[in-house]
């Protein structure tokens, strides 16, 4: 089994402060807003929905495990 449910590739996009991830996170609500407007939702409602989605995903990311924690360790006794 694996974890899922985030719109961005992994939890680090929501919390890392690198310039690249910060830029992606800053642009993400506008992307979601655009998808809603293309689906026929008015821009004000679309922006509110996008903000709610980003907030929800951030909470999910907070509860998600880091990528390095998802690695399957190989015991040294197995060869």
């Amino acid at each position: 089994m694996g974890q899922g449910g985030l719109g961005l590739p992994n939890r680090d996009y929501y919390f890392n402060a690198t310039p690249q991830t910060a830029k992606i996170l800053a642009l993400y609500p506008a992307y979601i807003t655009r998808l809603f407007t293309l689906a026929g939702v008015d821009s004000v409602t679309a922006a509110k929905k996008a903000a709610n989605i980003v907030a929800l995903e951030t909470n999910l990311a907070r509860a998600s495990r880091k990528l390095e924690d998802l690695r399957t360790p190989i015991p040294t006794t197995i060869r």
Side-chain angles (χ1 to χ4, degrees), residues 5-24:
L6 301 176
L8 295 174
N10 63 63
R11 74 178 302 279
D12 292 337
Y13 281 80
Y14 297 87
F15 304 116
N16 280 357
T18 66
Q20 183 180 8
T21 57
K23 181 179 178 181
I24 290 169

Side-chain angles (χ1 to χ4, degrees), residues 65-79:
R65 296 175 69 190
K66 293 182 180 182
L67 286 179
E68 56 269 14
D69 294 337
L70 295 174
R71 296 183 188 139
T72 304
I74 301 173
T76 55
T77 57
I78 297 176
R79 294 183 191 238

Side-chain angles (χ1 to χ4, degrees), residues 6 11 14-15 55-65:
L6 301 176
R11 74 178 302 279
Y14 297 87
F15 304 116
L56 173 66
E57 288 184 12
T58 302
N59 284 332
L60 287 172
R62 194 171 287 114
S64 297
R65 296 175 69 190

Side-chain angles (χ1 to χ4, degrees), residues 14-49:
Y14 297 87
F15 304 116
N16 280 357
T18 66
Q20 183 180 8
T21 57
K23 181 179 178 181
I24 290 169
L25 186 59
L27 294 172
Y28 188 47
Y31 169 73
I32 297 171
T33 300
R34 179 72 176 137
L35 292 178
F36 276 118
T37 58
L38 289 172
V41 177
D42 68 271
S43 61
V44 173
T45 303
K48 288 178 185 177
K49 288 179 179 284

